[in-house]
Amino acid sequence: MGFRKKLDIFLERTLAIIFAVMVITVLWQVFSRYVLGNPSSFTDELTRYLLVWLGILGAAYVSGRSKHVAIDILPARCDKKMQKNMRLTVHILVILFCLLALVIGGARLVYLTFVLEQYSPSLRLPLALVYAVLPLSGSLIIYYKISDIFQN
């Protein structure tokens, strides 16, 4: 089994765990609010941060599986050589975007929140940890797209 397949399995399991924890925290929030009459203070914040991680890390996973939303009207009307060139161009543009916005921009955001020692209000969790998903996911998408370029 290759590295890419192992990475896919790791991401699948990680995303499943994040989703399961989200379900549990939401259920606890509803139970504590309506049954106990004393809503839990941390579950809303934890669920929000888990949703961020689920969405952004999920985007990296979906990108690696080539299951992301794509408009294929133009490539469908082109010949095979043009489709290959379009795919290569799209991969390069995605790599550049991820490098600039997610990896570099995300790393700057992580660094800034770390240096400023910003913490979440309820959990007292370093916000740098929450934002770390940006450069992580950007790096994963770059890896997947470079792998796609060499596979094609």
Side-chain angles (χ1 to χ4, degrees):
M1 184 181 321
F3 177 74
R4 184 174 176 146
K5 183 66 177 164
K6 288 180 184 178
L7 182 60
D8 285 344
I9 292 169
F10 176 76
L11 285 175
E12 285 173 4
R13 291 179 180 164
T14 302
L15 292 167
I17 290 168
I18 291 172
F19 188 73
V21 172
M22 279 181 58
V23 168
I24 291 167
T25 58
V26 169
L27 288 174
W28 176 251
Q29 174 69 13
V30 170
F31 178 78
S32 66
R33 175 172 291 171
Y34 294 108
V35 176
L36 301 178
N38 186 15
S40 177
S41 61
F42 75 93
T43 54
D44 181 50
E45 190 172 285
L46 179 60
T47 304
R48 189 177 322 124
Y49 295 148
L50 289 173
L51 183 62
V52 169
W53 270 74
L54 184 72
I56 297 174
L57 204 56
Y61 172 73
V62 170
S63 175
R65 300 292 304 262
S66 296
K67 300 289 184 186
H68 49 77
V69 176
I71 301 171
D72 61 352
I73 295 171
L74 185 59
R77 295 180 181 195
C78 297
D79 62 354
K80 295 290 182 194
K81 183 175 169 52
M82 187 63 161
Q83 286 179 1
K84 188 175 180 177
N85 289 338
M86 285 180 164
R87 229 179 351 262
L88 177 63
T89 302
V90 167
H91 288 325
I92 291 170
L93 290 173
V94 168
I95 289 169
L96 287 173
F97 173 78
C98 288
L99 179 65
L100 296 172
L102 297 176
V103 175
I104 295 172
R108 289 186 64 183
L109 181 62
V110 169
Y111 174 75
L112 186 63
T113 55
F114 181 76
V115 168
L116 295 176
E117 297 179 359
Q118 292 182 343
Y119 294 91
S120 64
S122 291
L123 296 172
R124 301 302 305 155
L125 188 71
L127 287 179
L129 183 63
V130 175
Y131 298 140
V133 72
L134 292 170
L136 173 65
S137 292
S139 300
L140 290 171
I141 293 171
I142 289 171
Y143 165 75
Y144 280 129
K145 293 305 152 193
I146 289 173
S147 175
D148 288 343
I149 288 171
F150 286 114
Q151 281 181 351
N152 293 332

